């Protein structure tokens, strides 16, 4: 198995691995812990093998809003058809940050990819935190922020294309808000990292709306710096997994008229502590 770092700050590509092979799990786990995002190339796996790989990391967390794979309801479909214009996950986000116990990782298997485009971009929240000034680190380190699923998956988006065409649903379940530290101590590595994101973070606790918006927008712009990023160019069969406590990600919507189908499995995490 060959492991190649993708950029200076984040991500690795793994070539010559087989995620079905239990003997390779320790090396894959180690690469995941070190790089936060890993793309394991060319996996010829069934949905059951995808689930079995995820279960080596922990219990499956079934997403409440994504359309499931019909034969495997624990697998979410991330799909865009030729005539659809919106992609799921187009805005920078962290999966499940709206939950009290957010998901540890997400594992995406590329079933069908466009000929060009359809990449996924990731951002390192550890690097982003480390590049704030010490004064700002101290300020945001004392804050907590609310995260919500309501505006992204709730009744408010009933008219969105992805809700109308059934790719997301179950709006009635989008009722939860969760409060998390703005800077978390990573549960595995102990590294401090920012834990706010543009899609789901709604408000910093204790600040006025104007103050909260200003701080969040500043942090979001900071995290968009490309030196904190890596980009996965997919081939069918690739499996990419990312640590939701250490990264943001976004799907790039640049393949009009082409199809893209991914299977996503999400693994349970733990409550998050302040750094
Ligand atoms: C997601 O946001 O979970 C999906 C990312 C992608 O489709 O590239």
């Amino acid at each position: 198995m060959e492991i190649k770092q993708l950029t200076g700050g984040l991500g690795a590509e793994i070539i010559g691995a087989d995620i079905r092979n239990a003997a390779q799990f320790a090396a894959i786990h180690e690469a995941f812990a070190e790089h936060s995002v890993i793309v394991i190339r060319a996996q010829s796996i069934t949905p059951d093998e995808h689930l079995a790989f995820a279960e080596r990391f922990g219990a499956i967390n079934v997403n409440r809003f994504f359309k499931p794979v019909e034969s495997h309801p624990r697998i979410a479909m991330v799909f865009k058809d030729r005539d659809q214009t919106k992609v799921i996950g187009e805005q920078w986000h962290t999966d499940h940050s709206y939950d009290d116990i957010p998901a540890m990782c997400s594992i995406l298997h590329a079933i069908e990819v466009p000929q060009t485009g359809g990449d996924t971009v990731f951002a390192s929240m550890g690097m982003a935190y480390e590049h704030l000034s010490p004064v700002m680190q101290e300020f945001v380190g004392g804050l907590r922020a609310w995260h919500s699923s309501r505006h992204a998956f709730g009744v408010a988006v009933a008219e969105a294309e992805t809700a109308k065409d059934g790719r997301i649903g179950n709006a009635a379940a989008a009722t939860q808000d969760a409060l998390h530290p703005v800077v978390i101590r990573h549960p595995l590595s102990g590294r401090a990292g920012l834990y706010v994101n543009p899609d789901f973070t709604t408000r910093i606790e204790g600040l006025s709306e104007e103050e909260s918006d200003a701080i969040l927008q500043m942090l979001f712009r900071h995290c968009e710096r490309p030196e904190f990023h890596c980009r996965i160019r997919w081939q069918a069969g690739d499996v990419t997994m990312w640590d939701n406590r250490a990264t943001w990600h976004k799907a790039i919507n640049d393949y009009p008229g082409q199809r893209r189908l991914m299977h996503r499995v999400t693994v349970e995490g733990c409550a998050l502590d302040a750094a």
Side-chain angles (χ1 to χ4, degrees):
M1 174 188 322
E2 190 190 353
I3 302 175
K4 292 196 286 190
Q5 200 170 318
L6 284 175
T7 65
L10 180 69
E13 177 181 38
I14 303 183
I15 297 159
D18 182 345
I19 64 169
R20 297 170 299 190
N21 184 343
Q24 294 183 357
F25 178 69
I28 291 174
H29 190 281
E30 197 178 309
F32 171 66
E34 184 177 346
H35 300 287
S36 301
V37 178
I38 51 174
V39 52
I40 309 160
R41 298 290 186 193
Q43 299 303 299
S44 195
I45 52 165
T46 64
D48 285 324
E49 288 165 342
H50 185 177
L51 287 163
F53 175 65
E55 278 174 330
R56 291 191 208 280
F57 288 89
I60 307 296
N61 174 320
V62 180
N63 186 281
R64 309 185 268 302
F65 307 116
F66 286 31
K67 185 174 182 175
V69 172
E70 217 169 285
S71 57
H72 291 77
R74 293 189 300 160
I75 302 182
M77 283 212 293
V78 180
F79 179 56
K80 178 172 179 277
D81 212 340
R82 285 189 184 84
D83 58 344
Q84 293 168 335
T85 58
K86 296 281 176 211
V87 302
I88 292 173
E90 191 169 340
Q91 199 182 1
W92 283 113
H93 64 285
T94 302
D95 293 337
H96 290 233
S97 75
Y98 46 76
D99 286 337
D100 286 328
I101 311 263
M104 185 240 287
C105 67
S106 304
I107 306 175
L108 206 60
H109 181 216
I111 308 296
E112 195 177 336
V113 296
Q115 282 214 315
T116 50
D119 298 353
T120 311
V121 187
F122 294 87
S124 164
M125 294 299 104
M127 277 192 91
Y129 173 73
E130 286 152 14
H131 283 76
L132 291 171
S133 66
V135 173
M136 185 54 71
Q137 285 179 344
E138 194 175 338
F139 173 63
V140 295
L143 301 173
R144 297 191 298 176
W146 287 101
H147 299 239
S148 177
S149 63
R150 294 167 199 269
H151 57 284
F153 296 115
V155 286
V157 296
E159 290 307 308
E161 179 190 292
T162 46
K164 277 183 162 165
D165 62 29
R167 283 180 287 163
I168 64 164
N170 199 18
T175 52
Q176 71 281 39
D177 297 316
L179 190 59
H180 300 296
V182 168
V183 182
I184 60 165
R185 169 100 25 228
H186 191 278
L188 298 177
S189 67
R191 186 181 185 186
L194 287 171
Y195 194 76
V196 286
N197 68 85
D199 218 1
F200 301 129
T201 309
T202 50
R203 180 84 181 250
I204 296 178
E205 181 190 47
L207 300 188
S208 70
E209 191 173 346
E210 197 183 2
E211 290 166 341
S212 168
D213 285 351
I215 296 295
L216 286 175
Q217 288 312 316
M218 180 276 294
L219 292 174
F220 295 160
R221 277 201 308 277
H222 172 72
C223 294
E224 285 168 9
R225 283 170 54 177
E227 57 268 42
F228 308 151
H229 297 177
C230 73
R231 182 167 179 138
I232 304 298
R233 310 205 67 188
W234 293 93
Q235 291 152 24
D238 290 345
V239 168
T240 295
M241 64 181 293
W242 60 88
D243 190 323
N244 285 308
R245 294 87 48 96
T247 58
W248 282 0
H249 61 281
K250 69 178 280 172
I252 306 295
N253 188 4
D254 61 351
Y255 52 101
Q258 299 185 73
R259 282 165 56 98
R260 181 179 186 269
L261 172 63
M262 312 300 227
H263 284 180
R264 195 181 90 176
V265 177
T266 308
V267 177
E268 293 284 8
C270 58
L272 299 172
D273 294 328

